[in-house]
């Protein structure tokens, strides 16, 4: 049986019942795949008989190996970045297809797939227009990391974190849908809570979209100003001279798009908790690790940015990294105007000085 026998919703989130019994399938999968490719076993039958969490995890390991080889051959370490916006939706589609193949009610999984597809479209478009899919494109931060660590250490970093761990992470943030799949065997219908979770995530995707559009408009205006000296309508020269955006959502959060991204996958996890009537469960590993990853990557991004723009330190003190510090938007600190000393004041000072010398 490719799914556990669950009699209560809480069982769907119990690692010892929902996951642990199927771990041996992972060890048997390579041999069975070889048999399938050799024609000794039906591939669709193998897919159907393998627990969907195990087959999804196995795929993330295979992709990690692909990312590793391609990165080392091309000396380009943004291979996972190119698939970041696609893989979580692929894994959710996998859960959806598996459920349909076995006749498991899939309405709740369909809802997760709808929001995830919209998330993928938005993020893929944003990555594409920034040149992410151009030949040779690499995240600028990897080059900076390479400059500060020994070559051998960076290769180990690629063999572990960049290629494999990130690949597995993209599966783990989608893994809460597995618990929703199990819960659907007991509670078949789409509930108002499911619709609410879907609506919240769509709202977060919209917030991400707005933040990225504001950033794109600013960066486009800054580039035009740098190339031609022209100030785009809607911007002030001082804004462009500053070098980074502080308006719109960016006036309340230094990274509103990152805040929304982390929240999306945390809400999906909370969705699985509600579906299984649990306060927390094992599926929180993925979103938790994602949040830790954003802490590190955002710290590095800000370290680089603060070194480029003098005002960024003040911006960091005034605006929260992810959540607002208050209700007021960021305001550029007023410049200290030097005190103007008039000629008459200089003459008066000179007279006082001469008077003091005569008295001595």
């Amino acid at each position: 049986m490719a799914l556990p026998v669950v009699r209560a919703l809480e069982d769907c989130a119990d690692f010892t019942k929902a996951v642990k019994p199927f771990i041996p399938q992972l060890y048997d999968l390579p041999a069975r795949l070889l048999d399938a490719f050799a024609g000794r076993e039906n591939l669709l039958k193998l897919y159907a008989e393998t627990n969907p969490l195990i087959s999804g995890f196995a795929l993330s390991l295979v992709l990690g190996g692909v990312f590793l080889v391609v990165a080392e051959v091309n000396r380009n370490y943004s291979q996972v970045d190119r698939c970041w916006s696609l893989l979580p939706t692929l894994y959710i589609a996998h859960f959806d297809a598996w459920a349909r193949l076995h006749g498991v009610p899939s309405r709740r999984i369909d809802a997760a797939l709808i929001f995830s597809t919209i998330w993928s479209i938005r993020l893929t478009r944003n990555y594409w227009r920034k040149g992410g899919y151009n030949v040779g494109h690499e995240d600028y931060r990897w080059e900076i990391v390479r400059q500060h660590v020994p070559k051998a250490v960076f290769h180990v970093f690629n063999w572990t974190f960049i290629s494999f761990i990130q690949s597995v992470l993209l599966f783990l943030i989608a893994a809460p849908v597995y618990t929703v799949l199990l819960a659907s065997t007991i509670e078949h219908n789409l509930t108002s809570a499911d619709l609410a979770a879907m609506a919240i995530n769509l709202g977060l995707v919209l917030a991400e979209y707005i933040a990225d559009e504001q950033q794109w408009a600013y960066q486009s205006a800054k580039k035009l100003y740098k190339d031609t000296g022209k100030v785009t309508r809607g911007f002030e020269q001082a804004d462009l001279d500053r070098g980074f955006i502080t308006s719109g959502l960016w006036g309340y959060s230094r990274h509103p798009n990152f805040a929304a991204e982390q929240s999306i996958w945390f809400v999906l996890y909370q969705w699985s908790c509600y579906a299984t009537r649990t306060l927390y469960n094992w599926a929180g590993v993925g979103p938790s690790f994602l949040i830790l990853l954003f802490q590190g990557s955002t710290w590095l991004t800000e370290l680089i940015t603060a070194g480029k723009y003098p005002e960024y330190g003040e911006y960091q003190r005034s605006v929260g990294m992810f959540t607002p510090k208050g209700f007021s938007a960021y305001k550029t600190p007023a410049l200290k105007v030097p005190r103007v000393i008039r000629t008459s004041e200089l003459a008066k000072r000179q007279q006082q000085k001469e008077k003091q010398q005569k008295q001595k």
Side-chain angles (χ1 to χ4, degrees):
M1 181 64 179
L3 284 183
V5 177
V6 289
R7 294 181 173 82
L9 288 173
E10 292 80 4
D11 293 342
C12 303
D14 187 337
F15 183 86
T16 60
K17 296 178 180 178
V19 181
K20 190 175 180 180
F22 303 98
I23 293 177
Q25 288 188 347
L26 183 64
Y27 309 141
D28 298 335
L29 201 53
R32 295 192 66 185
L33 279 171
L34 289 174
D35 288 341
F37 293 139
R40 292 188 294 270
E41 184 169 357
N42 183 278
L43 190 59
L44 180 60
K45 181 174 179 287
L46 173 60
Y47 178 73
E49 292 179 351
T50 304
N51 177 274
L53 187 74
I54 297 301
S55 54
F57 178 69
L59 177 59
S60 72
L61 293 178
V62 171
L63 290 176
V66 173
F67 295 143
L68 171 62
V69 172
V70 175
E72 292 295 344
V73 168
N74 292 282
R75 292 292 186 265
N76 185 308
Y77 301 91
S78 281
Q79 307 308 319
V80 178
D81 298 339
R82 291 181 171 85
C83 297
W84 190 281
S85 63
L86 304 173
L87 288 180
T89 298
L90 173 66
Y91 292 124
I92 295 176
H94 153 64
F95 289 127
D96 195 282
W98 197 96
R100 289 175 179 276
L101 182 63
H102 286 266
V104 176
S106 61
R107 296 182 185 88
R108 306 172 88 180
I109 310 171
D110 293 340
L113 183 58
I114 289 171
F115 103 76
S116 184
T117 300
I118 295 172
W119 169 85
S120 283
I121 293 171
R122 187 214 68 78
L123 189 55
T124 301
R125 171 182 174 270
N126 194 57
Y127 190 69
W128 168 78
R129 69 178 176 178
K130 289 181 176 180
Y133 294 109
N134 292 346
V135 176
H137 177 272
E138 184 184 49
D139 190 318
Y140 68 95
R141 290 171 295 188
W142 293 136
E143 177 59 31
I144 293 174
V145 172
R146 283 200 296 269
Q147 293 173 0
H148 290 84
V149 299
K151 188 176 180 179
V153 172
F154 186 82
H155 283 303
V156 172
F157 187 54
N158 178 43
W159 300 338
T160 53
F161 173 76
I162 299 177
S163 295
F164 275 101
I165 294 178
Q166 285 196 120
S167 179
V168 173
L169 173 61
L170 291 173
F171 167 71
L172 289 177
I173 62 176
V177 177
Y178 172 69
T179 62
V180 176
L181 186 158
L182 295 181
S184 296
T185 63
I186 298 174
E187 192 171 85
H188 306 328
N189 296 324
L190 192 68
T191 68
S192 57
D194 297 322
L195 294 174
M198 177 184 173
I200 291 171
N201 266 345
L202 287 174
L204 289 168
V205 171
L206 177 62
E208 239 182 346
Y209 170 78
I210 293 171
D212 281 337
E213 290 302 307
Q214 290 173 345
Q215 175 77 281
W216 178 260
Y218 176 83
Q219 293 296 337
S220 298
K222 189 175 79 168
K223 185 177 186 305
L224 179 66
Y225 173 65
K226 182 179 179 180
D227 294 342
T228 66
K230 295 180 180 179
V231 177
T232 302
R233 184 178 180 180
F235 293 94
E236 300 291 337
Q237 182 176 339
D239 294 329
L240 304 178
D241 285 334
R242 183 191 307 110
F244 58 94
I245 183 173
T246 62
S247 58
L249 295 178
W250 302 82
Y252 300 90
S253 168
R254 303 201 301 271
H255 303 280
N257 50 350
F258 290 176
E261 179 70 10
Q262 297 169 80
S263 299
I264 284 170
W265 301 107
F266 184 77
V267 168
L268 179 63
Y269 160 61
Q270 287 298 303
W271 186 350
S272 78
C273 289
Y274 184 87
T276 56
R277 304 294 187 267
T278 55
L279 185 62
Y280 57 87
N281 61 59
W282 62 268
V285 171
S288 298
F289 191 82
L290 180 71
I291 291 171
L292 290 176
L293 174 61
F294 266 98
Q295 299 300 317
S297 64
T298 305
W299 171 82
L300 178 58
T301 300
E302 293 209 325
L303 184 67
I304 297 168
T305 305
K308 292 168 61 178
Y309 307 115
E311 192 181 321
Y312 200 78
E314 179 61 32
Y315 180 58
Q316 288 176 304
R317 286 187 288 273
S318 303
V319 179
M321 180 181 287
F322 298 123
T323 57
K325 287 186 175 181
F327 296 103
S328 300
Y330 175 77
K331 292 182 180 179
T332 300
L335 295 175
K336 292 183 179 180
V337 181
R339 182 167 175 258
V340 177
I341 301 177
R342 301 179 183 279
T343 305
S344 57
E345 290 184 42
L346 292 173
K348 187 176 181 180
R349 289 183 183 182
Q350 183 64 29
Q351 291 175 356
Q352 290 176 345
K353 186 176 180 180
E354 292 175 355
K355 186 178 180 181
Q356 290 172 354
Q357 289 176 346
K358 289 180 179 179
Q359 289 175 350
K360 291 179 180 179

